[in-house]
Amino acid sequence: MSTFPEPWAASTRSLGNSYERDGVLNSTALAAKAGAQHATEFQLWVSQQATSLAKLKIFATMAKNINDQQ
């Protein structure tokens, strides 16, 4: 699964493998790609945690309201 839109990916194919120059892997490009993947995963994790926290706050408020009514 590609992270980038297909037109962009297609335009870079004509440039050759940007991760390899003269048969040597470009460690900076590989590190940048890995960093971008980790950043995306972290953003997804943060979003999931925020959603869970919001649900817990709603539940706590509802439980407090029910407890106060008794």
Side-chain angles (χ1 to χ4, degrees), residues 7-64:
W8 183 86
S11 68
T12 59
R13 284 188 200 112
S14 62
L15 300 175
N17 186 354
S18 62
Y19 302 112
E20 188 174 335
R21 299 279 186 232
D22 301 324
V24 177
L25 288 177
N26 184 343
S27 61
T28 304
L30 290 173
K33 183 177 179 183
Q37 286 177 328
H38 289 299
T40 302
E41 291 171 7
F42 179 72
Q43 287 175 338
L44 178 60
W45 179 81
V46 168
S47 176
Q48 290 171 339
Q49 296 303 311
T51 301
S52 296
L53 181 60
K55 289 178 181 178
L56 285 172
K57 285 183 177 181
I58 291 169
F59 177 79
T61 302
M62 290 171 48
K64 183 179 182 311

